[in-house]
Amino acid sequence: MAKQHAPFRYDYVGSFLRPEKLKEARKALEEGKITAEELKAVEDEAIRDLVKKQKEAGYHVITDGEFRRSTWHLDFMWGFEGVAHKKTEQGIAFQGEDAMLDDTWLTGKIRVGTHPFVEHFRFVKALEDEHTVAKQTIPAPAQFFAQMLIPGNLEQTRKVYKTDEELMEDIAEGYRKVIRDLYDAGCRNLQLDDCTWGLLVAEGFAGSREEIQESAEKFVKVNNLAIQNQPEDLVITTHVCRGNYHSAYFSSGAYDPIAKPLFGEEQVDAFYLEYDDERSGSFAPLAEVTGEKKVVLGLITTKSPVLEEKEEVKKRIYEAAKYIPLDRLYLSPQCGFASCEIGNKLTEEEQWAKLALVKEIAEEVWG
């Protein structure tokens, strides 16, 4: 499996529902009842058990389920110098629910030493076997960039960085350092999770077409700056979605307005794309995918325990194949099962049933 890379015909995004024992341990740490070392022991045990289940499910990629994080993106940012955070009082408005994600902002120039995610990866890497390879997920550089430019952060960010270009350069430099360290730790499969595109295509987004284009160009630029000149055997993919918090979503909108910059210019090897319902639009924008880039169709939802109709999913795969060859298409859920610690509204048993369905469909379509 040393030469095997994501995506696989049946695949997944990365995060899994946290076991209750892990949730309880994290709460106990916050309350001062256990030490960080005791929490780590619980995390280690939970991750070993998760990887065992991933292998038993027949998957060729393993992750730590993001079990050491509270959120899919902010914990990564907290690993950089110049970034502060605190518990939020307002949260972020998702469809039907406020996502209670820590306020996260800049206090100084962005720098990074030894990022904790590197050690997290080493733990999973050691659990590989001849049938599996480890994948590391991190938020895309564009996500870091956008976080520091949200209305509540912009004034503080401008005290540190006068221009977007300066901010992009330091983010990209920090990412290159982390990616290099991950590579040296044995990482050959890196996934950049990116919700910034969902914001640009959101229904009701106030920006003009020109403003959308300008933002899209900046997102592509910072992402490409961060991953330029990487080793040839490091596969870098990206996952694009519209928010995933406790089965709620942040935005709706088709890929059409951002297809050319995202699918045409971003220098990744594959796209994991949210396509589990009508909020994502048609497959037509896939015609903009350039070169030999691959597309992982997120046709199975993690937001609901209801299993999809197998034949309907297969039909949609063949619809997508009208725009990109079938041999460059793959299948996965549309997002993780627990992008944040709270997790989506389904049980662990229902989570594994979803993944069993993904595998079954992929084997029938691609053999």
Side-chain angles (χ1 to χ4, degrees):
M1 291 298 294
K3 295 182 180 179
Q4 295 287 341
H5 296 290
F8 294 93
R9 289 299 179 192
Y10 48 94
D11 212 321
Y12 54 77
V13 170
S15 68
F16 283 74
L17 295 171
R18 275 50 157 190
E20 283 304 314
K21 184 177 180 180
L22 178 56
K23 290 183 179 181
E24 291 168 2
R26 194 171 301 282
K27 182 180 179 182
L29 178 70
E30 292 178 0
E31 295 173 348
K33 296 178 179 177
I34 65 172
T35 65
E37 288 74 19
E38 288 173 315
L39 172 62
K40 183 181 182 300
V42 176
E43 291 172 341
D44 289 352
E45 179 185 3
I47 291 168
R48 289 192 191 97
D49 183 59
L50 172 66
V51 170
K52 180 174 180 286
K53 291 176 180 177
Q54 291 168 345
K55 293 177 179 180
E56 290 173 346
Y59 278 74
H60 297 299
V61 62
I62 57 174
T63 73
D64 64 4
E66 301 180 3
F67 280 6
R68 302 189 198 275
R69 310 183 209 179
S70 57
T71 68
W72 63 276
H73 58 323
L74 297 178
D75 294 62
F76 180 78
M77 299 177 198
W78 304 339
F80 285 71
E81 297 173 19
V83 178
H85 68 102
K86 67 174 182 176
K87 286 193 176 298
T88 188
E89 296 179 2
Q90 285 187 306
I92 300 173
F94 273 58
Q95 186 68 25
E97 184 170 355
D98 287 342
M100 303 307 288
L101 309 179
D102 279 23
D103 296 333
T104 300
W105 69 95
L106 290 182
T107 57
K109 294 285 187 181
I110 296 167
R111 299 288 185 267
V112 65
T114 301
H115 197 286
F117 277 32
V118 177
E119 192 58 37
H120 297 174
F121 174 78
R122 286 196 181 97
F123 186 88
V124 182
K125 174 73 176 177
L127 300 176
E128 287 182 343
D129 58 25
E130 66 272 22
H131 303 296
T132 56
V133 293
K135 176 171 73 171
Q136 178 65 37
T137 64
I138 62 175
Q143 194 74 42
F144 201 133
F145 176 72
Q147 174 68 29
M148 302 313 166
L149 296 178
I150 60 176
N153 282 345
L154 183 57
E155 182 179 354
Q156 176 60 27
T157 296
R158 285 295 176 243
K159 294 178 182 177
V160 182
Y161 292 101
K162 300 302 181 186
T163 67
D164 288 353
E165 288 68 27
E166 293 175 73
L167 176 60
M168 283 191 280
E169 286 291 345
D170 273 7
I171 290 174
E173 183 177 350
Y175 267 77
R176 289 193 293 267
K177 168 69 163 58
V178 174
I179 293 171
R180 185 164 59 250
D181 290 349
L182 284 168
Y183 182 86
D184 290 344
C187 181
R188 298 297 182 269
N189 295 276
L190 180 68
Q191 179 180 300
L192 307 175
D193 296 327
D194 202 344
C195 283
T196 58
W197 302 101
L199 173 64
L200 294 185
V201 301
E203 295 173 356
F205 179 64
S208 65
R209 177 172 297 187
E210 290 74 20
E211 289 171 322
I212 291 174
Q213 184 63 30
E214 181 182 355
S215 293
E217 289 175 358
K218 289 180 178 179
F219 293 163
V220 167
K221 181 178 179 180
V222 70
N223 284 342
N224 285 344
L225 276 173
I227 62 177
Q228 66 183 7
N229 302 322
Q230 296 299 335
E232 289 186 6
D233 61 339
L234 174 61
V235 170
I236 300 179
T237 63
T238 190
H239 167 243
V240 178
C241 91
R242 293 155 183 76
N244 189 55
Y245 179 88
H246 205 208
S247 292
Y249 61 86
F250 179 73
S251 64
S252 299
Y255 292 97
D256 301 70
I258 45 87
K260 286 184 182 295
L262 174 60
F263 299 148
E265 299 173 23
E266 189 151 301
Q267 299 304 306
V268 293
D269 296 294
F271 298 94
Y272 289 73
L273 300 179
E274 180 178 73
Y275 263 120
D276 60 325
D277 61 23
E278 66 282 353
R279 291 186 303 108
S280 300
S282 76
F283 295 121
L286 296 183
E288 301 294 343
V289 176
T290 55
E292 295 301 310
K293 297 171 187 173
K294 301 169 182 177
V295 171
V296 187
L297 298 171
L299 299 174
I300 307 296
T301 191
T302 65
K303 288 180 163 61
S304 164
V306 178
L307 287 176
E308 286 77 0
E309 291 291 336
K310 187 167 61 172
E311 293 306 315
E312 181 61 28
V313 174
K314 290 164 70 173
K315 179 182 175 182
R316 295 196 69 201
I317 292 171
Y318 291 118
E319 286 176 6
K322 296 175 183 177
Y323 302 97
I324 188 167
L326 185 64
D327 65 359
R328 283 166 51 204
L329 291 175
Y330 302 76
L331 183 64
S332 78
Q334 107 288 350
C335 197
F337 291 93
S339 300
C340 301
E341 189 173 14
I342 191 172
N344 282 348
K345 297 177 181 178
L346 68 169
T347 65
E348 288 189 43
E349 182 180 0
E350 291 164 340
Q351 166 184 266
W352 293 108
K354 288 277 183 173
L355 290 175
L357 179 63
V358 169
K359 182 175 183 289
E360 183 178 343
I361 294 171
E363 290 178 331
E364 290 184 13
V365 171
W366 288 282

